[in-house]
Amino acid sequence: MAEFSHILGWKELLVMDRLFRNFRRFGYPAILALVVFSSAELRAQEWARKMFDHFSHDFGVLVRGQKAEHRFRFRNLYVEDVEIESITSTCGCTIPEVTKRLLKTHETAEVIARANTLQFLGHKEATIRVRFRKPFPAEVQLHCYMYIRSDVVFEPGAINFGTVTAGTEAPAVTIIASHLTRGDWRILKVQAPEYLEVSFAELSRQPGRVSYQLEAKLLPTAPVGYIRDTILLVTNDLDSRLRNLYVQVEGVVVPPLSVRPSPLMIGLVSPGQKVLRKLVLQAQVPFRIISVEVPSEAYVVRFGDEPSQVQLLSLEYTVPEQPGKIKDTLRIHTDLATDGSVEVVVIGQIVEPQKE
């Protein structure tokens, strides 16, 4: 039954149990009625499942103390607001968190599943239950699998570069990988993304313990945005299933000029409505906003003229009369010598006001 539960969720298993019980008591008419009811109940969950692009993740082989996380992305496809009521896990080996509980139309969020490698060992499975309150009650189940080793340790549990400005080389970050039971254990090679320069060297070798130091450098070619990647360590483990180990790499590469929020979500708006929003621009050195290109006269922008590392831009948008989707691009120009311009996409939906 444990293997079968990977294919059918707990609700489907409950339905099957009810089918067998009702068959013994009332025969085929009761089964037919229950099948109709249960099918409708399961279909009612589909609106929530459609927002997710996948429902399971295998962390593979992890080591004690290793930092590992996976993100299940979902997007509000509907006109109504989507609100999460609760998020739980069936196993403490996986700690769930959601980045946003209330989503407007077209907004996205992530369910973050973090592996708890300090308190758990061996083969572990967890089901994350995401329960929605709006627009209708529903539940989506996400599944995580992992095998946590006790004989290998990473110190610290991940490589973290912090925040780095694009085009610059960040200081090198090191991590110690140790095997606690084999004196002949070796790291044979490493594989890393092309924007990382990685080297490794043996630190010590004693009876029953071997330690290696890995050094990673973030190259200036690293792409802008969040870094969530891995470095592969290929070892000489006798068991081929345990031979490959992965070190999580994380950090944030920020452009010389950034703007937030981006994209700018204005949600559902009515014809003729005036929408007020603010944008925050930030750079490493003081700068001024020179001009803003807007797609139409519906946009009015205001900004100061004093140099600063942080600039505030006020936006007033008069919603057009024609219902439909909004997807406009604003281009902001500054006096920065390099990469002095940035674009912001405005997204929303114009809907007719409801008639009373």
Side-chain angles (χ1 to χ4, degrees):
M1 184 63 74
E3 295 180 357
F4 191 56
S5 64
H6 294 324
I7 302 173
L8 298 179
W10 66 272
K11 288 192 174 182
E12 291 89 339
L13 292 175
L14 181 60
V15 167
M16 292 180 63
D17 180 68
R18 290 158 65 187
L19 282 173
F20 289 123
R21 292 176 184 270
N22 279 274
F23 175 75
R24 289 198 297 266
R25 295 181 60 190
F26 305 109
Y28 289 108
I31 287 185
L32 180 60
L34 184 57
V35 167
V36 172
F37 172 78
S38 301
S39 298
E41 183 182 9
L42 294 176
R43 285 197 302 271
Q45 312 292 322
E46 285 303 310
W47 73 265
R49 287 180 59 85
K50 287 180 180 178
M51 296 190 296
F52 289 79
D53 57 3
H54 67 293
F55 303 94
S56 66
H57 177 70
D58 189 345
F59 284 102
V61 178
L62 304 177
V63 306
R64 193 171 184 85
Q66 180 178 354
K67 184 175 181 180
E69 68 177 36
H70 180 74
R71 295 176 179 245
F72 296 92
R73 185 181 176 89
F74 63 102
R75 178 171 178 247
N76 182 2
L77 307 173
Y78 308 103
V79 173
E80 300 90 344
D81 291 352
V82 168
E83 184 178 4
I84 291 178
E85 179 179 5
S86 64
I87 179 170
T88 59
S89 175
T90 59
C91 176
C93 61
T94 303
I95 303 171
E97 178 187 346
V98 64
T99 58
K100 198 172 188 179
R101 286 184 176 266
L102 182 65
L103 277 72
K104 301 291 186 180
T105 304
H106 302 309
E107 287 187 335
T108 60
E110 294 173 319
V111 173
I112 307 174
R114 293 189 174 92
N116 184 357
T117 62
L118 288 174
Q119 297 178 316
F120 291 84
L121 297 173
H123 177 73
K124 297 296 175 184
E125 302 178 7
T127 298
I128 299 173
R129 293 171 178 167
V130 186
R131 294 186 175 93
F132 292 88
R133 178 185 289 118
K134 295 180 180 179
F136 308 103
E139 178 179 298
V140 173
Q141 296 185 2
L142 310 172
H143 304 281
C144 293
Y145 313 95
M146 67 194 75
Y147 182 85
I148 305 172
R149 299 179 60 171
S150 61
D151 56 350
V152 179
V153 177
F154 288 164
E155 297 174 307
I159 290 177
N160 191 332
F161 290 103
T163 301
V164 181
T165 303
T168 63
E169 187 171 311
V173 178
T174 60
I175 187 173
I176 307 299
S178 302
H179 199 295
L180 307 180
T181 61
R182 282 185 53 194
D184 61 344
W185 185 73
R186 296 182 185 279
I187 295 178
L188 303 178
K189 63 177 180 178
V190 298
Q191 295 179 9
E194 59 183 9
Y195 57 82
L196 291 178
E197 182 179 290
V198 181
S199 61
F200 65 98
E202 184 177 311
L203 284 183
S204 63
R205 184 172 296 274
Q206 304 169 3
R209 184 184 179 100
V210 180
S211 294
Y212 280 83
Q213 176 176 285
L214 278 77
E215 183 179 89
K217 292 182 179 179
L218 188 66
L219 300 179
T221 54
V224 171
Y226 287 96
I227 298 174
R228 298 188 185 100
D229 223 320
T230 56
I231 297 172
L232 168 63
L233 310 183
V234 181
T235 73
N236 68 337
D237 261 296
L238 300 178
D239 189 337
S240 59
R241 296 171 298 178
L242 307 178
R243 197 165 293 161
N244 293 343
L245 301 175
Y246 294 88
V247 179
Q248 182 162 311
V249 180
E250 53 193 29
V252 183
V253 179
V254 297
L257 175 65
S258 63
V259 59
R260 63 181 191 274
S262 181
L264 178 60
M265 312 293 295
I266 62 174
L268 301 178
V269 292
S270 302
Q273 178 182 344
K274 289 189 180 297
V275 180
L276 303 178
R277 293 290 188 271
K278 294 186 183 297
L279 295 171
V280 178
L281 287 81
Q282 189 168 3
Q284 302 298 312
V285 297
F287 69 99
R288 294 171 54 243
I289 298 176
I290 302 300
S291 63
V292 181
E293 296 180 36
V294 296
S296 70
E297 295 181 355
Y299 290 91
V300 177
V301 296
R302 299 178 180 86
F303 50 86
D305 57 1
E306 292 295 324
S308 176
Q309 287 182 254
V310 179
Q311 295 283 358
L312 189 66
L313 186 148
S314 298
L315 173 70
E316 180 180 306
Y317 175 59
T318 303
V319 180
E321 296 296 327
Q322 185 67 31
K325 290 184 178 180
I326 301 170
K327 191 173 183 180
D328 295 331
T329 301
L330 311 180
R331 187 165 181 83
I332 306 170
H333 301 281
T334 72
D335 62 353
L336 291 172
T338 58
D339 297 318
S341 299
V342 65
E343 291 185 349
V344 179
V345 178
V346 181
I347 298 176
Q349 181 83 29
I350 306 173
V351 296
E352 293 282 4
Q354 294 183 350
K355 297 181 180 179
E356 298 183 356

